[in-house]
Amino acid sequence: MTKKRNIVVKIGSALLANLELLTPRYGFLQRLLEDIAQLRAEGTNVILCSSGSVALGLRIIGETPESAGVSDKQAAAACGMPLLLNAYKQVGHEFGFDIAQVLLTLGDFEDHRRFLNTRNTVHRLLESNVVPIVNENDTITTEEIRVGDNDRLAAKVAQMVGADDFVILTGVDGLYDRNPDEPGAKFIAEVEDVGMYMDATKGKSTLGTGGMETKLLAANMAQEAGVTTWIAQGEVDHPVSSVLDGSRRSTKILPHPNPLSGWDSWIANRLQMAGSLVISDSLAASLSGDRPIRREDVISMTGDFTRGDVLHIYDSKGIERARGLSDFTSEELRVLTSNPDTQAEQLLGYRTKGEVVRSANLVMLENRHLLWDAPEEIVGQV
């Protein structure tokens, strides 16, 4: 049996909600879902990652995008989600397909078991010919436990389902080498290294939480999983298929020719930093993933993490070198590193080799990932 093509489509709030009235834009939904119906008829699976619930709920609670605080946005999401799903359901019914809602939080991506459970649910929906509509559960998330933008959430979904293509529909026709409103701004049709354009991507949309910067961060995650990313204007007929068939202008971000395995990609592509380590320069210089990181290698650490969280690993200059799965809680690791001459078993009460990150759970970043800045508290310690 031929494997179906998987496409993840991320739709920004400004395409789904009228900026002034904060009501659903049914004309856009009509064009989008008609296009998706045609793609499905050709044998393509489509997963939607949809913003819009907060924007659509603001009017109901008497707030605006400018006035709304965190609790206002949570309440607005609760009011807006039924409106958003009802709009998708009404238009989707016209084109003969069913939809399903999948609400996620940061933990559903950062905890590997929950990540796999979510993947199984999405695959089961696709097997039943149902279109999954994925969104962050904004009603319950706070700053500490939220993904923060649907661009990176959608990239994690693309990684999760093994997508072939990741299409980001937005209000501009792609990436420029500077603000597109500036004279002489040059359109970028194809990108290999997103890091070259990060400085030109600051700012965000009025209704959404992410601008071009988050789109490039998301594209880098997709690259590592072997997914082609497209950034394109959404206000056109056939908004998805016209990107994929090359009939209109968009920015294509190429996948890495040697993508990471699913396990390594899950470790390397983080949404938040659980904790970090600074290791000795001698180890950093020779680090290859062939040997574990042991407690004697750790110079300093930061964060409150549990066993199984992913740690960001830095050298003494604050340059990120690797990411890996911790075998200890932060409390255990502090005890181990504070008592280097005492056996680990005596300190912790159970047998252990004292390996903080096993070699099998360590991913070297090399030159293919966008690096995270080291937390200020550990940079100051070395």
Side-chain angles (χ1 to χ4, degrees):
M1 182 181 296
T2 304
K3 178 183 177 292
K4 281 191 173 184
R5 184 181 188 181
N6 286 334
I7 298 173
V8 172
V9 181
K10 188 269 175 177
I11 310 112
S13 295
L15 293 170
L16 291 160
N18 183 293
L19 183 61
E20 296 179 358
L21 301 176
L22 298 177
T23 53
R25 300 184 68 244
Y26 280 98
F28 168 74
L29 280 172
Q30 190 87 13
R31 294 189 292 274
L32 173 68
L33 297 191
E34 180 181 20
D35 196 25
I36 287 174
Q38 181 59 44
L39 288 167
R40 282 161 45 86
E42 296 168 0
T44 298
N45 285 326
V46 180
I47 300 102
L48 296 179
C49 292
S50 177
S51 302
S53 62
V54 173
L56 294 177
L58 287 172
R59 178 179 54 84
I60 298 174
I61 65 168
E63 297 288 345
T64 66
E66 294 77 19
S67 67
V70 173
S71 61
D72 299 322
K73 291 178 180 179
Q74 290 175 320
C79 295
M81 187 56 71
L83 295 177
L84 180 65
L85 267 292
N86 184 58
Y88 273 117
K89 186 174 181 63
Q90 285 183 343
V91 180
H93 182 72
E94 180 179 343
F95 294 107
F97 62 81
D98 292 312
I99 65 166
Q101 180 185 44
V102 182
L103 291 178
L104 302 174
T105 63
L106 178 69
D108 297 314
F109 293 108
E110 306 293 72
D111 181 279
H112 196 249
R113 183 173 63 178
R114 288 161 65 180
F115 179 88
L116 295 177
N117 287 340
T118 304
R119 184 183 68 178
N120 292 340
T121 297
V122 172
H123 279 308
R124 183 64 185 85
L125 291 169
L126 295 174
E127 288 173 7
S128 298
N129 213 26
V130 175
V131 175
I133 299 179
V134 183
N135 197 358
E136 184 163 15
N137 193 349
D138 292 311
T139 299
I140 65 167
T141 53
T142 60
E143 204 61 40
E144 293 77 17
I145 62 169
R146 70 192 309 262
V147 174
D149 63 85
N150 275 344
D151 295 315
R152 292 186 306 147
L153 180 147
K156 292 293 286 185
V157 172
Q159 171 201 344
M160 176 187 290
V161 301
D164 299 282
D165 295 278
F166 172 34
V167 180
I168 303 176
L169 296 180
T170 185
V172 294
D173 55 356
L175 174 67
Y176 287 77
D177 65 347
R178 69 191 78 171
N179 188 317
D181 294 331
E182 293 182 15
K186 180 182 177 183
F187 179 78
I188 308 300
E190 190 171 278
V191 175
E192 289 187 19
D193 180 6
V194 298
M196 295 175 58
Y197 301 98
M198 291 303 296
D199 289 341
T201 62
K202 308 302 179 183
K204 65 181 182 181
S205 66
T206 302
L207 281 178
T209 54
M212 192 58 71
E213 181 181 14
T214 67
K215 290 168 178 52
L216 291 190
L217 290 171
N220 184 240
M221 289 181 173
Q223 284 182 301
E224 295 311 310
V227 182
T228 301
T229 300
W230 311 80
I231 303 174
Q233 165 67 255
E235 280 291 359
V236 296
D237 292 333
H238 313 294
V240 180
S241 60
S242 62
V243 170
L244 299 176
D245 65 17
S247 61
R248 68 182 178 98
R249 187 158 85 162
S250 64
T251 296
K252 180 181 182 181
I253 302 175
L254 301 175
H256 196 280
N258 298 303
L260 297 174
S261 67
W263 176 244
D264 284 354
S265 183
W266 179 81
I267 289 175
N269 293 303
R270 314 312 299 152
L271 294 168
Q272 283 192 7
M273 186 184 295
S276 60
L277 307 176
V278 173
I279 60 173
S280 63
D281 281 343
S282 59
L283 176 58
S286 60
L287 200 62
S288 65
D290 293 330
R291 107 167 194 31
I293 294 175
R294 304 184 179 94
R295 64 167 172 168
E296 58 266 26
D297 300 319
V298 178
I299 296 175
S300 63
M301 58 178 283
T302 187
D304 293 313
F305 48 87
T306 62
R307 188 180 294 113
D309 279 347
V310 173
L311 304 180
H312 294 239
I313 299 159
Y314 296 88
D315 63 21
S316 66
K317 298 179 180 63
I319 298 173
E320 190 179 12
R321 296 301 193 105
R323 293 172 193 166
L325 215 61
S326 176
D327 256 25
F328 300 110
T329 68
S330 53
E331 183 178 355
E332 289 173 331
L333 186 53
R334 287 188 180 96
V335 170
L336 288 172
T337 54
S338 299
N339 300 275
D341 298 325
T342 306
Q343 289 186 353
E345 183 177 352
Q346 184 178 343
L347 291 169
L348 302 181
Y350 61 86
R351 295 187 64 181
T352 174
K353 295 180 179 179
E355 295 179 353
V356 181
V357 180
R358 303 181 194 183
S359 57
N361 296 332
L362 185 66
V363 179
M364 305 304 301
L365 299 186
E366 302 169 322
N367 296 318
R368 50 192 285 170
H369 295 79
L370 291 174
L371 305 181
W372 288 37
D373 292 334
E376 291 183 8
E377 57 263 44
I378 65 170
V379 174
Q381 294 176 14
V382 297

